[in-house]
Amino acid sequence: MCDGQAIITVLFIVKFKEAKRLLINDLGRHNGPLLPHIQSRLTTVLQSGWYILGAEVSAFEESFAAYCGVARCVGVGNGTDALELALRALRIGPGDEVITVANAGGYGTAAIRCTGADPVYLDVRPDSMSMDPAVLKTRITSRTRAIIATHLYGRMADMPALRAIADAAHIPVIEDCAQAHGARMDGRAAGAWGQLGCFSFYPTKNLGALGDGGAVITSDASLAERVRALRQYGWTQKYDCRAGHGRNSRLDEMQAAILSVKLPRLDDWNRRRRTINALYSELLDGAGVRLPPVAGENDAAHLYVIRTPKRDRIRTALANQGIATDIHYPIPDHRQECARGTASSACALPVTEVCCGEVLTLPCFPEMRDDEVAKVAASVRQAI
Ligand SMILES: *Cc1c(COP(=O)(O)O)cnc(C)c1O
């Protein structure tokens, strides 16, 4: 009998902990309040009888382009395809080099490799962990055909400096904005600084669909037309295939409708994310971990990432209290198994490697309450 009671007690505690578990990004809490709006919008789409490349995709493309302050937006299947189609729109292929960083999750690398081009990695700045313009200058070769600048964790790379160097060398810049929807530098949106800006609408992103989705934005009409053709078999019109390397990578009507419900709320969500960032930084000040720079307008505050050599100990302590953490990202691209034997696997990226060994992501999403932030911060302090 006692055993039975003990089991029930344990089960109750497990259940209780499960219920109170704090996620990195709680999509149930984020999307829950929107479901009535989303459901009614989806009903309209379902009843319309038109599910691929129709009025919803066009409407979202138009409003997202306007939101970003560019002329065109082309909805595609996901963020990695957005990067690949942007590269292909620039006619990048085998024999070409594309400069990028190795600490941003490998999405740019996957897209570059799909085109047959070679990634060339630059080390990152120790403060911002993004591409270092001073290094960029030294690594441009006669084979360099593009630069992919990633706005890591939502924080924009130094676009004025990167653009100046790229422009002087006549090399186009592609921005990876998958973590930076709505960030702005000098009033200009992430994605509007480069020749092309690439977005993912994966559910966890600041602007997330309820499935896969992506977009390429640009103010260059001919690049937009190329991406438009490439996302649908290479067609310029139905059954008229003019662009090589076409495929099927479309944003669908349902996801576009969901994104249209969410876009008007994005700025508020980003403001709340920045407030959470600031609160964390206040509460963790002097705790002995390296804190990210204060999030201003140029930071969509996608992830709150601290740096510490005591990462494993902190992760375990937080996990024991039902607090989820993650590592973005543990293995730099040039050290991945799939890079073995490639020219890029031999490069030296000391700052990148130290960062990958120390970064730790704490929970951050717009619905997170101040007392939850305080609890996480207190747990981090306790664990050090
Ligand atoms: C999520 C992400 C991507 C890829 O987006 P998918 O839609 O998952 O293909 C690309 N770059 C960065 C920086 C990301 O965070």
Side-chain angles (χ1 to χ4, degrees):
M1 190 186 82
C2 275
D3 278 1
Q5 263 183 2
I7 288 169
I8 287 167
T9 309
V10 167
L11 281 179
F12 177 76
I13 290 169
V14 168
K15 192 90 196 123
F16 184 71
K17 277 206 160 174
E18 191 56 37
K20 299 271 283 187
R21 215 174 113 76
L22 184 60
L23 305 179
I24 296 248
N25 190 354
D26 194 327
L27 293 182
R29 283 168 66 182
H30 182 59
N31 292 319
L34 294 176
L35 291 185
H37 302 285
I38 289 174
Q39 275 165 352
S40 73
R41 189 94 183 220
L42 287 184
T43 302
T44 310
V45 177
L46 288 170
Q47 289 171 341
S48 75
W50 193 285
Y51 310 116
I52 297 286
L53 296 189
E56 291 289 349
V57 170
S58 300
F60 175 73
E61 286 176 342
E62 205 166 294
S63 53
F64 195 61
Y67 175 82
C68 296
V70 297
R72 318 272 163 124
C73 169
V74 183
V76 298
N78 57 68
T80 312
D81 280 0
L83 290 165
E84 187 190 337
L85 298 190
L87 290 165
R88 289 197 185 280
L90 294 167
R91 300 175 201 275
I92 285 163
D96 296 335
E97 286 179 356
V98 178
I99 291 179
T100 189
V101 291
N103 68 332
Y107 311 101
T109 295
I112 294 164
R113 291 228 179 269
C114 279
T115 68
D118 298 313
V120 171
Y121 300 116
L122 301 191
D123 211 356
V124 294
R125 290 173 53 144
D127 51 357
S128 64
M129 291 190 275
S130 62
M131 187 179 281
D132 190 341
V135 183
L136 172 61
K137 224 178 241 176
T138 67
R139 296 297 302 277
I140 292 172
T141 71
S142 58
R143 286 173 59 203
T144 307
R145 294 287 316 281
I147 293 157
I148 298 181
T150 304
H151 304 313
L152 192 67
Y153 311 145
R155 194 157 57 236
M156 288 179 72
D158 186 352
M159 293 314 297
L162 294 176
R163 255 317 284 263
I165 295 162
D167 286 358
H170 305 290
I171 295 168
V173 176
I174 296 171
E175 293 174 75
D176 181 345
C177 311
Q179 304 184 355
H181 318 67
R184 281 168 198 278
M185 189 173 266
D186 302 337
R188 193 161 160 190
W193 283 86
Q195 273 76 4
L196 298 134
C198 298
F199 290 83
S200 163
F201 304 121
Y202 184 78
T204 59
K205 309 294 186 186
N206 288 32
L207 180 62
L210 302 186
D212 277 311
V216 179
I217 65 169
T218 181
S219 284
D220 182 316
S222 67
L223 287 176
E225 283 324 300
R226 279 187 60 75
V227 175
R228 212 169 272 285
L230 290 167
R231 77 168 168 186
Q232 181 154 248
Y233 323 122
W235 289 353
T236 44
Q237 298 174 54
K238 206 171 184 187
Y239 309 132
D240 184 353
C241 186
R242 303 199 180 189
H245 303 290
R247 86 239 342 261
N248 176 359
S249 180
R250 298 174 294 221
L251 180 66
D252 74 70
E253 288 284 286
M254 302 241 214
Q255 300 306 334
I258 292 164
L259 292 167
S260 290
V261 171
K262 295 177 101 178
L263 180 59
R265 295 161 165 91
L266 176 59
D267 286 342
D268 282 344
W269 288 331
N270 283 350
R271 259 191 292 278
R272 175 62 190 154
R273 285 175 178 276
R274 288 187 198 107
T275 303
I276 291 169
N277 265 30
L279 184 55
Y280 264 133
S281 291
E282 190 189 314
L283 296 170
L284 288 172
D285 188 31
V289 295
R290 190 161 173 169
L291 304 177
V294 176
E297 262 234 307
N298 66 333
D299 191 342
H302 176 58
L303 298 174
Y304 188 81
V305 178
I306 60 171
R307 271 183 279 176
T308 166
K310 297 174 188 161
R311 171 168 84 187
D312 292 344
R313 194 207 300 183
I314 296 174
R315 284 203 86 185
T316 308
L318 266 61
N320 287 337
Q321 296 178 57
I323 300 168
T325 58
D326 207 342
I327 297 171
H328 297 95
Y329 297 90
I331 307 172
D333 298 8
H334 66 301
R335 294 279 182 236
Q336 292 284 1
E337 183 62 35
C338 65
R340 191 183 284 202
T342 65
S344 68
S345 66
C347 64
L349 305 169
V351 181
T352 297
E353 290 186 19
V354 169
C355 289
C356 288
E358 294 189 346
V359 289
L360 177 65
T361 304
L362 304 180
C364 175
F365 53 94
E367 295 68 31
M368 193 176 174
R369 298 186 313 266
D370 287 3
D371 67 289
E372 292 173 314
V373 179
K375 187 185 169 205
V376 176
S379 302
V380 170
R381 276 184 176 277
Q382 247 169 31
I384 293 167

